[in-house]
Amino acid sequence: ELRAPPDKIAIIGAGIGGTSAAYYLRQKFGKDVKIDLFERGEVGGRLATMTVRGQEYEAGGSVIHPLNLHMKRFVKDLGLFTIQSSGGLMGVYDGETLVFEESSWFIINMIKLIWHYGFQSLRMHMWVEDILDKFMRIYRYQSHDYAFSSVEKLLHSLGGDEFLGMLNRTLLETLQKAGFSEKFLSEIVAPVMRVNYGQSMNINGFVGAVSLSSADSGLWAVEGGNKLVCSGLLQASKSNLVSGSVMYIEEKTRTKHTGNPTKMYEVIYQIGSETRSGFYDIVLVATPLNRKMSNITFLNFDPPIEEFHQYYQHIVTTLVKGQLNSTLFSSRALNKFDLSTILTTDNSNLFINSIGIVSSVTESDNPQPLTDRGYVWKIFSQEILTKEQILKLFLSYDYAVKQPWLAYPHYKPPEKCPSIILHDRLYYLNGIECAASAMEMSAIAAHNAALLAYHRWNGHTDMIDQEDLYEKLKTEL
Ligand SMILES: Cc1cc2nc3c(=O)[nH]c(=O)nc-3n(C[C@H](O)[C@H](O)[C@H](O)COP(=O)(O)OP(=O)(O)OC[C@H]3O[C@@H](n4cnc5c(N)ncnc54)[C@H](O)[C@@H]3O)c2cc1C
Ligand SMILES: CC(C)=CCC/C(C)=C/CC/C(C)=C/CSC[C@H](N)C(=O)O
């Protein structure tokens, strides 16, 4: 039996988490509920583009895994188009020399990998595939409308104690225990962690596996920019965008049109210099909760809502159109240098995490040099690059733009993930980033929170935190 739907729902943050939450809440609660989506910056959040010479390039979340089924579904439902990520040749630089270089010949590549690392690359692939297999169970659970009240319970339902245990150990510990060699770890695994999460192998095992899955083939992006998914979902969900900054959320008792006193949440926000507020039955917070990133204060909650102090990693994306100084990395001149991505090993003397050629959000594949003066390169670094550093990397350049981010959590296992249920009808999505930060993870958290809010509203406790779901759904078929 269903209760009358809520009158008003607030979502704070219009990134992929907030906009997909709006989409799923509309699906569950129907057309009559009013959904307000608060955004203080741009719709898209960490999905954003930067412009170089009139062309747009992904500056934040850029690549999507072929098995990220929510993102795939959004693109289809919204009538958007995809672009395959071009997979040029990759090399690994240790500060002195290229310790590994891919070859354009498949067979030579295989021989090189086996020569350098034995069969570890294949074993690693199998390790990631096994985790991904279990991870895919979430789509089955969500398609049957099951929800979880904590990130830990969600992960446990995917693969039991072992799966959940990945949050408590570093990737390094996990892979050392599995017998991977120091050479393979430092020359292949560490560079992948640096390009993806700007961190070392001391991140948790689960985010490590997510990061390694980005080495799979078939990665893609959305034509026109990944942020188009957010604006598309916003529109499809028929939500109302409020361009303001939420400052406070307070629980208050209000008399509704029915005449009954009801507990509601007052959302107090600022538009320019003006302060306004609105009352809501349900609130979803879809932004990391910390002072630097969202600065939201919870007033008069009993018991009080804990302060979150998750530290987010500072990363800078720099785009440069120029001619690479290939001699910095190898003795070969530019016309003999065929690498399009250079990753780096964990070496504190290096001032970049990675550098690679990128395509614009409208180019289908194989980026072309913009003019005779070079490709557009994307550099990830911990700090903003100085002019001298850019001049070291490029023989000549004529354009550079930078975007600093508080990009993803600084992972430090054991991870204790923040609660999803902050209060009776107040939900928090971004706690899932403690397991791994990626577009698909935010979409999964959004679907889960929408289902959780719906079942709790209607008292469907049997749809929440069901044990042994995998077995139950197997026999249901
Ligand atoms: C450089 C970089 C590269 C990445 N690459 C990839 C990748 O290749 N693939 C991948 O899957 N993921 C990638 N990610 C991660 C991915 O981008 C994020 O996990 C995802 O976009 C997070 O989405 P979100 O909606 O949860 O949060 P956000 O996108 O951060 O959205 C939160 C929104 O809330 C708004 N907000 C905050 N506080 C308030 C307030 N008080 N009032 C109103 N609004 C507020 C913010 O302005 C923001 O728009 C990358 C991230 C970065 C930074
Ligand atoms: C969630 C699952 C199962 C898979 C996601 C895999 C994936 C695409 C991970 C990438 C995560 C990430 C934070 C990448 C940052 S850098 C991306 C890219 N190399 C770039 O150059 O921008």
Side-chain angles (χ1 to χ4, degrees), residues 62-63 65 68 132 135 195-197 210 213-214 378 380 408 437 440-441:
S62 54
V63 290
H65 193 276
N68 286 172
L132 219 53
F135 175 80
V195 62
N196 284 334
Y197 288 99
V210 165
S213 77
S214 74
K378 184 193 272 186
F380 285 126
Y408 10 67
S437 174
E440 186 71 6
M441 296 302 290

Side-chain angles (χ1 to χ4, degrees), residues 228-243:
L228 291 186
V229 174
C230 302
S231 46
L233 291 171
L234 170 65
Q235 211 184 3
S237 68
K238 296 194 166 50
S239 304
N240 171 43
L241 178 67
V242 183
S243 299

Side-chain angles (χ1 to χ4, degrees), residues 12-19 38-47 59-65 68 196-197 242 244-247 286-288 293-296 315 317 378 380 405-408 429-430 433 436-442:
I12 299 153
I16 187 65
T19 53
F38 291 87
E39 174 54 57
R40 70 172 179 196
E42 300 289 322
V43 170
R46 276 173 275 169
L47 306 187
S62 54
V63 290
I64 304 168
H65 193 276
N68 286 172
N196 284 334
Y197 288 99
V242 183
S245 184
V246 172
M247 299 180 301
T287 172
M293 294 175 82
S294 49
N295 201 16
I296 298 169
I315 287 290
T317 310
K378 184 193 272 186
F380 285 126
W405 296 101
L406 286 172
Y408 10 67
L429 273 62
N430 289 70
E433 288 190 75
S437 174
M439 293 176 235
E440 186 71 6
M441 296 302 290
S442 290

Side-chain angles (χ1 to χ4, degrees), residues 326-367:
S326 60
T327 56
L328 187 67
F329 305 103
S330 99
S331 53
R332 274 168 293 153
L334 193 54
N335 56 353
K336 298 259 168 15
F337 191 83
D338 52 3
L339 299 183
S340 56
T341 302
I342 300 158
L343 309 185
T344 58
T345 58
D346 255 330
N347 173 344
S348 53
N349 294 328
L350 290 168
F351 60 88
I352 61 166
N353 291 351
S354 64
I355 177 165
I357 296 173
V358 282
S359 314
S360 80
V361 297
T362 51
E363 269 175 296
S364 50
D365 214 336
N366 286 334

